[in-house]
Amino acid sequence: MKTVSTPNAPAAIGPYSQAQIVGNLVYTSGMLGIDPATGVLVEGLEAQAHQVFKNLSELLKAAG
């Protein structure tokens, strides 16, 4: 098992990691629409959805 983290996605809000690699699978934690640069939840449902996928993309890049 390998822990994955990146400053390009919001830190986990609790005692867990952003993601774990187990074998050939990547398990990600729940993700909010928080802008990692500001630490603030972006405004509006559509903007939050876009931010969540941007954050997940950055996390998966870090996982390789």
Side-chain angles (χ1 to χ4, degrees):
M1 183 164 55
K2 178 183 174 189
T3 300
V4 178
S5 66
T6 178
N8 298 327
I13 305 174
Y16 48 87
S17 60
Q18 290 174 312
Q20 293 284 325
I21 298 173
V22 180
N24 63 350
L25 298 174
V26 178
Y27 295 93
T28 65
S29 65
M31 190 65 66
L32 298 173
I34 295 173
D35 180 343
T38 63
V40 176
L41 183 67
V42 297
E43 198 169 318
L45 180 61
E46 187 173 331
Q48 287 177 20
H50 283 283
Q51 187 65 51
V52 165
F53 285 107
K54 182 177 179 184
N55 294 342
L56 285 171
S57 176
E58 291 297 328
L59 186 54
L60 293 174
K61 282 182 199 174

